[in-house]
Amino acid sequence: MKIDILTLFPEMFKGVFDESIIKRAVLDGKVEINLHNFRDYTLDPHGKVDDTPYGGGAGMVLACQPIFDCVEAIKTEESKVILLTPSGTPYKQKMAYQLSNEKHLIIICGHYEGFDERIRTLADYEISIGDYVLTGGEIPSMVLVDSIVRLIPGVINERSHIEDSFNENYLLDYPTYTKPRVFRGMEVPEVLTSGDHAKINEWRYNKAIEITKEVRPDLLEK
């Protein structure tokens, strides 16, 4: 898979993409990640990529030209373009699986007050990671990349993501424990040390339902 990210702040990505699973996936050739500062594509002699909104209002709006030119320079027939916006489709695990099967993703990070409406014509997907406002699309793009890369075959053990929360049964994960059996008076549930895998699976399933009912009852409705 190849992922190209359009951003005004490429330095923000160094700590995230240079560590852990994403770094290993890049070194193993499972994914190629490129950062593009779309300011490099502006035709404005002063390097501007934004302007004031028609009709008035606060803030600055990202202009079409730099983003269109950047996307067109890297796009191929296999590319899918993602626009990160609060008005996009809420991001779910199912979409992460869908995107992990694509060969080339181009992610556009918005900034400032927003972007020119005509930029939407570039997008195959418009995605929101939640009902809140951030200063730009850089952090949401990191969320997308992390959630997608781990699903690429060979990046992590397949069972690890098959048993994730938010998969087909819509349940949150059950509690997990490791050694020691007793820590500061807190004991591991006896069933987990029983060796009876049928009872363990039943306990885990019931706990998953219990936690989901308490924390995210909306998931049980699905």
Side-chain angles (χ1 to χ4, degrees):
M1 170 181 275
K2 181 179 180 181
I3 301 175
D4 287 289
I5 302 173
L6 279 60
T7 173
L8 290 174
F9 304 99
E11 296 295 316
M12 288 181 65
F13 294 83
K14 283 189 174 180
V16 176
F17 291 173
D18 291 346
E19 300 289 343
S20 190
I21 291 173
I22 294 179
K23 179 181 180 180
R24 189 165 67 244
V26 171
L27 292 176
D28 290 344
K30 304 293 185 183
V31 63
E32 174 187 341
I33 302 176
N34 303 302
L35 300 170
H36 305 270
N37 189 333
F38 56 84
R39 193 181 299 278
D40 296 338
Y41 290 80
T42 183
L43 300 179
D44 184 272
H46 304 292
K48 284 184 62 178
V49 295
D50 59 354
D51 214 325
T52 54
Y54 278 115
M60 302 291 281
V61 177
L62 289 176
C64 291
Q65 179 271 313
I67 294 177
F68 269 78
D69 284 4
C70 185
V71 169
E72 289 167 356
I74 61 178
K75 188 176 181 181
T76 70
E77 291 184 358
E78 295 181 332
S79 305
K80 296 295 183 183
V81 179
I82 298 171
L83 184 62
L84 295 167
T85 169
S87 62
T89 301
Y91 191 57
K92 305 291 185 183
Q93 186 70 6
K94 184 177 181 179
M95 185 176 288
Y97 273 105
Q98 180 181 344
L99 295 176
S100 71
N101 290 316
E102 300 289 352
K103 294 183 178 180
H104 183 207
L105 298 176
I106 299 174
I107 303 175
I108 302 174
C109 300
H111 215 77
Y112 305 124
E113 185 63 22
F115 49 80
D116 189 298
E117 185 71 12
R118 291 164 289 189
I119 292 172
R120 292 186 190 274
T121 63
L122 294 170
D124 297 290
Y125 301 95
E126 295 186 24
I127 293 176
S128 167
I129 66 163
D131 296 339
Y132 44 85
V133 179
L134 299 173
T135 55
E138 283 72 24
I139 292 175
S141 72
M142 297 174 197
V143 170
L144 259 66
V145 171
D146 187 279
S147 65
I148 292 167
V149 168
R150 65 190 299 276
L151 299 177
I152 297 173
V155 172
I156 64 172
N157 185 292
E158 185 180 20
R159 183 178 176 183
S160 295
H161 64 76
I162 288 176
E163 296 182 353
D164 280 339
S165 300
F166 307 114
N167 270 337
E168 292 303 319
N169 62 10
Y170 293 105
L171 296 177
L172 299 179
D173 226 348
Y174 49 76
T176 57
Y177 300 84
T178 188
K179 298 178 179 66
R181 184 171 180 176
V182 180
F183 179 75
R184 296 185 179 180
M186 296 178 285
E187 297 186 21
V188 174
E190 186 176 348
V191 64
L192 297 179
T193 62
S194 68
D196 188 328
H197 292 289
K199 288 185 177 180
I200 290 172
N201 289 336
E202 181 182 8
W203 180 89
R204 287 174 169 172
Y205 181 68
N206 288 334
K207 280 294 181 181
I209 292 176
E210 179 183 321
I211 292 170
T212 305
K213 184 176 181 180
E214 179 179 351
V215 180
R216 290 289 305 277
D218 58 298
L219 292 176
L220 290 178
E221 295 175 4
K222 299 180 179 181

